[in-house]
Amino acid sequence: MNQKLLLTFLFAYYLCRMDQLIAKIENYKKEIAASVVHTSDDLEAFRIKYLGTKGLVKSIMSEMKNVPADQKKAAGQLLNDFKILVESHFETLSAGISSHSQKSIQFIDYTLPGDTIPLGSRHPINIIQNKIISIFQRLGFSVAEGPEIEDDWHNFSALNLPENHPARDMQDTFYISQNPDWLLRTHTSSVQIREMEKGILPLRIICPGRVYRNETISARAHCFFHQVEGLYIAEQVSFADLKQTLYFFVKEMFGEDIKVRFRPSYFPFTEPSAEMDISCLICEGKGCNVCKKTGWVEILGCGMVHPKVLENCGIDSEKYTGFAFGMGIERITMLKYQVKDLRLFSENDARFLQQFTSAL
Ligand code: PHE
């Protein structure tokens, strides 16, 4: 075959490919013009068929690679025009569909209430913690926080609980295995030590936070719970100040009619120490299961800060005295809302949590 013949042959072949492309496009145009679109589902089917990632426009575009270099410009123009045509047809169809649905809006009953947006609610422990904080803030206490992973000094030794002190067994402690000096705090008294060490007096703080004890989980005990502890250190602070502060707190928390009693107790970090009971809210003192038929429930421990604790923090115990108290938020929440099982607080069951809608 001579060269001239070969070129003629190739030219005819290429022309043939272009013709095929043009014919294909013309057929598709007819098909598209005839397609019927009534619903948004039809519209979506149209989009997928022609404009989708595996759609017709994409596949016909891929034919560009078969077009010879000198024809690419013309073929590109052809394909691009086709693409624009399909896209504008799609726009027209979708405008038709949305004006159709606009019409159906006329049949909506505007007097029906709107869809409600579900709102979350505060966790009951949070509600009560905030309430406790706001009561003490009105008495001039400010909030102090500290780490949940503590060292032995702040959680025990500084609080007059040296190593091997039997009272350490009162609080089953989680130790951090890599470092026996580290532990999960068993009370927020550790925060009080940190604040006293700063040496700024007088000091009037409350310390809310999560604490950990290695207890078997049951309706009445958990391996973590929440506390608010309080501390007031100044010159001439007395046990009478402590009682008055706590009387104010329980009346604000539980109402004017609540009865209170103090029982002598023991804590290594306070002397004298006491526990405070309130009259049972469930049976109003008549005796029930919650108060174990006594009519009283214990809500907190308290006492005058032990002089050794003050000295451990560099405070002159001849000049300053102070009181401290500590309560479990779960206990108070259970009494306030009559929740019988502690585990409900950490299970995150929405049916339980949705019942608490206080703004606090
Ligand atoms: N730290 C004690 C506890 O966790 C509570 C307490 C605090 C008692 C302050 C007396 C004074 O049980």
Side-chain angles (χ1 to χ4, degrees), residues 30 55 65 80 117 168 174 202 266 294 310 324 334 349-350 359:
K30 275 187 211 141
K65 62 178 180 299
N80 218 34
I117 299 163
R168 284 195 181 202
F174 284 116
Y266 170 75
T294 63
L310 295 175
M334 286 170 99
D349 185 333

Side-chain angles (χ1 to χ4, degrees), residues 171 186-187 189 192 213 227 229 267 269-270 301-303 324-326:
Q171 301 175 354
T186 58
H187 48 189
S189 305
Q192 305 185 349
R213 295 186 194 175
Q227 280 191 326
E229 294 215 353
F267 298 102
F269 29 89
T270 45
C302 59
F325 57 87

